Amino acid sequence: MIGAYYHKSLANVDKTTALMNLFPAFRSTLGELCSITRRELLSGDELIHWRTKETSAFQTVLSARQLKSVQNMTYAAISSWRENLADKVRKLITGSDLPDERKTVLYRINARHAWWSKDIVMPWIIDENGELVYCTEKDAQIAENTGNRAVKRLAVSAEDLSMARTLAKQAQKHCRFPNLRKVDTLIVDSIVAKPTKGEKAFWNGRIGWWVKVATLNKRHPVNVPLEVNPYFERKFQTATLQGVVQLTLVRDSHGQPSNIAISLVAKTPDAETRSSGKELAIDFGVRHALFATNEGQLLGQKMTLRLAELDAILTPYTAKLQKAGISLKSDPYYRQLQKRIRDYVTNEIGRLLNRIAARDGEMAVAALVVEKLDFRGGGLSRQMNRLVTRAGRGVLKARLAAITAKYGIAVTGVPSPWTSCECSGCTYTHKLNRKGVNFHCRFCGLKLHADVNAARVILSRRSRQTPDRTDPRTRKYTLQLLDRRHRQRWNLPVEEAVPGVAGAGGQLVARLAER
């Protein structure tokens, strides 16, 4: 597991100013490089990693070593963006009504990230029936070398290339190209910022590390002292530094740069997968509690109350700023309040997941089953819901990935549609089964806390697979599937009507009563 460990800088004013001066130069170069790379991608060119300072199409005050760090940052950001975009495009292809043959071609274009390529030639293997079968370039080469199968390479049609561009354009509405002109964190290589362990005791042992950073003033680097981070020192016993350092711009309450924080990046061995323990399902939501488990526990109930208190401050203050025509981002108190909410959500999620992971004995957890992230915030304002969702989704993804590496707990995601309306006892699904915090099944009469019932449904979907459709009709499709399964389980007539449609639930209960 690779992590960045925050260290407070103890540098004097001159050293801090020299580090702050790096940010405008890095940001400008990052922005220029991103713009050039974007134009190249849209022209159908490959993603370029390295450019020398002499061949760069822009002027920069950065040294060759610093430019290398900029290139690494740009390449990492755009590579991550391309993977996210490919995921969005894949979902659009899956949810479309296109023929399977055309879907296959689009899937392969998407896998190559070749949405804007001018022409593509793809290999196909001719099977025993004379039909074309999908294969990778590696499979095609093996087939050609062995001579067991005939390989045919066909050019992708202009219509399919145009469709790929259209899908990528649609996906970019939800997956924006990275803008690195305003970054507050720089990831620099060890040739720019080199950390060394403090061997001597300075300031009564307060300094644990020194980082030598190359500044804009050539041949005049600065040595930055870092305050001891006890948590990192414990981790460092089994960790190895990764050759990069993070420089983060720290802002004061008015949003102005005030200091520089430095994070050392280290890799620690992943924990072994737990061989004993129980499966635990959790339902996410902030309506009544942050987490609800299939065992009936409601974790993070105080968070709901605290968010309601913060919402009561945020909503009227936002309205006041908007009425006065003041930009929200320009107001220091508004930014501070938003940061306060995001930090609170982040800390609560981490605290509760660590609490679950720390269980031992009969309560030990070996695997977590979660719904594919759906962070709900009923009872809060629309703005607070957006804020919690943005903070919650990213933190949950990171924390769930970390809990596997840190504790060896396996995490499985299951589709989320209708988990709150499906009965964990009889599997009957109806939108009227749930009313707020109460769940009352209209078929079997089960009464349960709604979030606990949802967690039990999530656990049942671990072994009972439900297709994860992504087109606009996903909820209706899933509802039809759940209704069909329920009718088959209870030997009821399989009809076109599904729960949620007027009259269907009442007819179903009436038929059961007649039996």
Side-chain angles (χ1 to χ4, degrees):
M1 179 175 67
I2 297 177
Y5 299 87
Y6 172 88
H7 286 72
K8 182 180 179 181
S9 170
L10 299 176
N12 58 31
V13 175
D14 290 340
K15 290 181 179 181
T16 301
T17 302
L19 293 179
M20 287 184 177
N21 290 339
L22 288 173
F23 280 80
F26 266 78
R27 286 170 172 171
S28 175
T29 308
L30 284 166
E32 291 289 346
L33 197 54
C34 279
S35 297
I36 292 172
T37 304
R38 186 171 188 272
R39 288 195 295 269
E40 290 173 347
L41 292 177
L42 293 178
S43 299
D45 297 336
E46 294 293 327
L47 177 60
I48 298 175
H49 192 173
W50 300 112
R51 306 169 196 264
T52 63
K53 189 172 182 179
E54 291 72 20
T55 59
S56 299
F58 56 89
Q59 297 295 322
T60 177
V61 297
L62 298 180
S63 66
R65 292 185 298 171
Q66 292 166 339
L67 181 59
K68 181 181 177 183
S69 292
V70 169
Q71 291 172 335
N72 284 333
M73 279 188 66
T74 304
Y75 184 80
I78 295 179
S79 295
S80 177
W81 168 77
R82 292 207 305 172
E83 292 298 331
N84 291 334
L85 186 65
D87 183 60
K88 298 288 185 184
V89 172
R90 183 170 58 251
K91 290 180 179 180
L92 290 174
I93 297 171
T94 303
S96 70
D97 294 327
L98 296 172
D100 290 341
E101 296 80 4
R102 195 173 187 191
K103 281 186 177 182
T104 300
V105 174
L106 291 173
Y107 279 133
R108 297 181 68 184
I109 294 174
N110 187 53
R112 294 184 179 197
H113 301 161
W115 307 290
W116 300 287
S117 295
K118 297 291 189 298
D119 53 76
I120 304 175
V121 176
M122 291 185 177
W124 300 81
I125 290 178
I126 303 176
D127 65 5
E128 295 79 3
N129 300 322
E131 297 181 357
L132 295 176
V133 179
Y134 157 79
C135 75
T136 62
E137 187 64 39
K138 183 178 179 180
D139 293 336
Q141 292 176 0
I142 294 174
E144 287 176 333
N145 293 335
T146 59
N148 295 333
R149 291 185 179 182
V151 176
K152 193 171 185 178
R153 285 179 167 78
L154 301 175
V156 177
S157 67
E159 291 78 10
D160 288 335
L161 291 174
S162 176
M163 176 60 72
R165 290 192 293 272
T166 301
L167 292 172
K169 184 178 180 180
Q170 179 68 23
Q172 286 184 83
K173 294 180 180 179
H174 306 284
C175 187
R176 301 286 185 183
F177 192 83
N179 178 13
L180 303 182
R181 291 183 182 273
K182 298 181 179 180
V183 293
D184 278 350
T185 298
L186 302 179
I187 304 174
V188 295
D189 300 317
S190 57
I191 57 176
V192 177
K194 185 177 181 179
T196 56
K197 181 72 174 172
E199 299 297 336
K200 298 180 181 180
F202 291 91
W203 289 12
N204 294 324
R206 189 179 173 190
I207 296 175
W209 289 79
W210 292 84
V211 178
K212 187 177 182 179
V213 183
T215 64
L216 298 181
N217 190 1
K218 292 183 179 180
R219 292 182 292 277
H220 288 82
V222 295
N223 279 310
V224 183
L226 303 182
E227 190 172 23
V228 172
N229 180 341
Y231 178 73
F232 175 72
E233 295 305 324
R234 292 195 300 271
K235 283 284 185 183
F236 190 66
Q237 302 300 322
T238 57
T240 54
L241 295 179
Q242 292 301 289
V244 292
V245 171
Q246 289 185 1
L247 306 179
T248 302
L249 199 61
V250 179
R251 298 181 180 275
D252 59 20
S253 59
H254 299 285
Q256 299 302 315
S258 60
N259 203 349
I260 296 292
I262 297 181
S263 298
L264 303 182
V265 180
K267 182 178 182 180
T268 54
D270 291 348
E272 294 183 2
T273 303
R274 291 188 179 181
S275 56
S276 62
K278 62 175 68 176
E279 268 193 338
L280 186 72
I282 54 178
D283 176 59
F284 301 130
V286 294
R287 184 172 301 170
H288 311 294
L290 180 60
F291 298 147
T293 73
N294 60 292
E295 296 174 342
Q297 297 144 332
L298 299 176
L299 306 177
Q301 290 178 288
K302 290 184 179 179
M303 176 180 168
T304 303
L305 300 176
R306 181 59 180 153
L307 285 177
E309 293 174 358
L310 293 172
D311 192 25
I313 300 173
L314 178 67
T315 302
Y317 191 75
T318 302
K320 178 182 176 181
L321 293 177
Q322 291 175 335
K323 186 176 181 180
I326 300 174
S327 171
L328 298 181
K329 293 183 179 180
S330 66
D331 186 77
Y333 180 74
Y334 177 83
R335 291 198 308 269
Q336 184 182 12
L337 186 57
Q338 282 210 321
K339 182 178 183 301
R340 187 176 169 188
I341 294 170
R342 284 194 297 267
D343 290 346
Y344 178 70
V345 173
T346 299
N347 291 336
E348 280 298 292
I349 290 174
R351 182 181 70 84
L352 292 175
L353 284 179
N354 287 336
R355 179 177 162 187
I356 291 173
R359 293 179 179 180
D360 55 9
E362 295 181 354
M363 298 295 292
V365 176
L368 279 179
V369 184
V370 301
E371 60 183 344
K372 293 185 180 176
L373 298 177
D374 177 21
F375 215 85
R376 300 179 300 278
L380 301 175
S381 68
R382 183 178 301 177
Q383 184 181 20
M384 177 62 82
N385 282 340
R386 285 199 301 268
L387 182 58
V388 171
T389 298
R390 288 171 186 166
R393 283 179 182 270
V395 173
L396 274 171
K397 288 181 179 179
R399 289 290 190 268
L400 289 174
I403 205 172
T404 300
K406 187 176 181 180
Y407 297 102
I409 297 176
V411 178
T412 302
V414 298
S416 61
W418 299 100
T419 52
S420 61
C421 298
E422 181 182 347
C423 177
S424 59
C426 68
T427 72
Y428 176 58
T429 309
H430 195 288
K431 63 182 180 181
L432 297 181
N433 279 350
R434 175 171 185 165
K435 282 191 176 181
V437 71
N438 300 312
F439 184 91
H440 184 190
C441 180
R442 293 163 58 88
F443 185 85
C444 69
L446 175 68
K447 293 184 179 181
L448 200 61
H449 190 287
D451 291 341
V452 174
N453 175 78
R456 293 180 179 177
V457 171
I458 290 169
L459 182 62
S460 70
R461 291 189 180 182
R462 169 70 173 83
S463 55
R464 180 167 49 89
Q465 295 297 318
T466 302
D468 188 17
R469 290 279 293 268
T470 55
D471 60 295
R473 296 165 294 179
T474 176
R475 287 180 60 81
K476 182 177 179 181
Y477 172 81
T478 304
L479 189 56
Q480 291 172 340
L481 175 64
L482 295 173
D483 179 56
R484 191 181 310 114
R485 286 178 176 174
H486 177 266
R487 292 172 184 270
Q488 291 172 349
R489 176 180 178 181
W490 295 96
N491 296 322
L492 297 173
V494 179
E495 300 175 356
E496 293 297 326
V498 296
V501 179
Q507 294 170 8
L508 194 61
V509 175
R511 276 197 296 272
L512 184 64
E514 292 174 0
R515 295 184 63 196

